[in-house]
């Protein structure tokens, strides 16, 4: 079959790879109908997250049709159209039983790779380095889905693929980030990053009762989407002297009740601190450019909540003193998709959420490297590229 493979830093190629097979009786094989880029993919494409191997099939946001079923699978049958959360979960361990699905104890076959860095391993994830299990990803014609009864969610009739695709990762990540904020009536939520996850976090904040949402970004097309699709007020951080001061003015001097970082380790910024971050990252002295996260920490009101959705590794000059002295609550995780997908499907069915506008560019799988290049450089207003095998 054809699949998008990583062949080195900034080197993606569509190649012939072996067809996936049923390995465990709880597996299914999916014929992929649509997959999409994700900003976190750029971290290993750019070389900031190690443990990729030449020829690895990438992609962790996808959906498709079940074409082969292991004999112990009970809830999924051949012909079902399903969406699959990016993290692979067993459904039985302590973490799965407590809805902490991305922390599943049983789906990362290489836990020792993460233990030295994180202290404990996470769950496995499709197409996202060998530290996260080394599973083949979904930018392919077919993909193996382990633990299918836990990880395949049936798509209701009448919903288009574009409406459901982002429930694999971007939508549940954004929803989880908004839920972390413990939103009360009248709250103001600030969101750094108006990409797919950030836009979903903005809409989710309103669904959960926020009165105001403020988006911070620099790309006019994304800020326009934040206003028109998510109903957010916007700040172009390249046009102001201080995002923190602007947010303080917009909130009567207090600051946002909660701040969501939907940017992560490759944040863009202005001034000397950003130049410092870029230099240290280029020299591999740390992995993260933390401009967005630092702003969120400083901007959040006293006693507020900081919700971190961006992927991070090792950051210098992290203002922990601000978190402690301001009494901030910090909530963060990789997305617990299996908890949120059923709820999100209901929102989509009721017309309360339609993520399909995130699809700005479509490509056949053969042109996936070009799709990633446009996504990375944000060419032609690209928010997400989707690939159709």
């Amino acid at each position: 079959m054809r699949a998008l493979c990583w062949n080195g830093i900034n080197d993606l190629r569509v190649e012939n790879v072996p067809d996936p097979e049923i390995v465990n009786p709880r597996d299914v094989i999916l014929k992929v109908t649509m997959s999409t880029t994700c900003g976190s993919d750029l971290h290993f494409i750019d070389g900031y997250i190690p443990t990729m191997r030449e020829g690895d099939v990438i992609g962790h946001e996808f959906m498709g049709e079940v074409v082969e079923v292991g004999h112990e699978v009970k809830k999924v049958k051949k012909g079902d159209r399903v969406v699959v959360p990016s993290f692979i979960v067993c459904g039985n361990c302590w973490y799965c039983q407590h809805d902490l699905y991305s922390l599943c104890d049983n789906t990362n076959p290489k836990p020792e790779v993460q233990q030295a860095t994180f202290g404990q391993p996470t769950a496995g994830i499709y197409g996202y380095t060998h530290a996260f299990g080394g599973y083949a990803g979904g930018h392919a014609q077919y993909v193996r889905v382990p633990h299918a009864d836990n990880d395949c969610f049936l798509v209701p009739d009448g919903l288009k693929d574009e409406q459901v695709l982002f429930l694999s990762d971007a939508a549940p990540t954004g929803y989880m980030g908004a839920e972390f904020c413990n939103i009360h009536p009248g709250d103001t939520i600030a969101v750094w990053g108006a990409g797919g996850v950030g836009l979903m976090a903005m809409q989710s904040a309103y669904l959960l009762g926020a009165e105001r949402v403020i988006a911070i970004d620099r790309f006019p097309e994304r800020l326009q989407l934040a206003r028109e699709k998510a109903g957010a007020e916007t700040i172009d951080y390249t046009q102001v002297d201080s995002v923190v001061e602007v947010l303080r003015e917009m909130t009567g001097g207090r600051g946002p009740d909660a701040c969501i970082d939907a940017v992560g380790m490759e944040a863009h910024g202005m001034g000397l601190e950003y130049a410092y971050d870029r230099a240290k990252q280029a020299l591999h002295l740390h992995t993260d450019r933390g401009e967005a996260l630092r702003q969120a920490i400083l901007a959040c009101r006293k006693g507020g909540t900081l919700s971190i959705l961006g992927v991070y590794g090792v950051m210098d000059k992290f203002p922990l003193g601000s978190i402690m002295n301001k009494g901030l609550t910090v909530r963060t995780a990789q997305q617990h998709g299996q908890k949120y997908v059923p709820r999100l499907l209901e929102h989509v069915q009721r017309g309360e959420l339609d993520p399909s506008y995130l699809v700005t560019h479509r490509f056949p799988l053969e042109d996936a490297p070009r799709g990633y290049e446009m996504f990375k450089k944000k060419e032609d207003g690209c928010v997400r590229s989707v690939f159709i095998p």
Side-chain angles (χ1 to χ4, degrees), residues 99-175:
D99 289 341
L100 301 171
Y101 291 102
S102 67
L103 306 178
C104 175
D105 252 345
N106 295 322
T107 60
N108 189 338
K110 303 173 183 180
E112 68 281 355
V113 180
Q114 288 187 356
Q115 280 173 341
T117 303
F118 301 154
Q120 293 174 303
T122 68
I125 184 173
Y126 299 96
Y128 203 83
T129 79
H130 287 263
F132 287 87
Y135 290 91
H139 292 327
Q141 292 176 299
Y142 298 90
V143 63
R144 180 176 74 95
V145 178
H147 299 285
D149 282 337
N150 304 311
D151 296 350
C152 289
F153 289 83
L154 189 66
V155 177
D157 292 339
L159 297 184
K160 298 178 181 179
D161 282 5
E162 291 88 345
Q163 292 178 280
V164 177
L165 172 63
F166 298 99
L167 273 60
S168 59
D169 192 294
T173 301
Y175 197 96

Side-chain angles (χ1 to χ4, degrees), residues 41-82:
D41 294 333
L42 301 179
H43 305 327
F44 65 75
I45 291 171
D46 291 341
Y48 298 123
I49 298 179
T51 71
M52 290 294 289
R53 297 178 186 171
E54 187 173 333
D56 282 348
V57 179
I58 70 169
H60 61 267
E61 296 190 52
F62 59 89
M63 62 180 300
E65 178 187 344
V66 177
V67 294
E68 191 175 349
V69 180
H71 66 81
E72 291 187 14
V73 176
K74 295 178 173 55
K75 299 179 182 178
V76 182
K77 65 181 185 302
K78 188 174 179 180
D80 282 348
R81 186 168 63 121
V82 298

Side-chain angles (χ1 to χ4, degrees), residues 221-240:
E221 303 90 348
R222 295 184 174 212
L223 291 169
Q224 184 177 356
L225 284 175
R227 289 189 296 270
E228 295 180 356
K229 298 295 186 179
E233 302 166 58
T234 58
I235 299 172
D236 179 346
Y237 65 81
T238 66
Q239 302 301 309
V240 300

Side-chain angles (χ1 to χ4, degrees), residues 353-372:
L353 181 69
D354 184 358
S356 60
Y357 71 88
L358 299 180
V359 180
T360 55
H361 294 76
R362 292 173 171 81
F363 297 88
L365 181 62
E366 293 296 323
D367 293 337
R370 173 61 181 150
Y372 263 98

Side-chain angles (χ1 to χ4, degrees), residues 17 25 38 45 134 176 189-191 210 239-240 247 249 259 267 292 302 304 325 328 341-342 344 349 353:
V17 301
C38 179
I45 291 171
M176 179 185 73
I189 311 300
V191 181
Q239 302 301 309
V240 300
L247 285 168
E249 292 171 6
C259 294
K302 293 179 287 186
N325 284 287
L328 301 185
V341 170
L344 289 164
Q349 284 185 290
L353 181 69

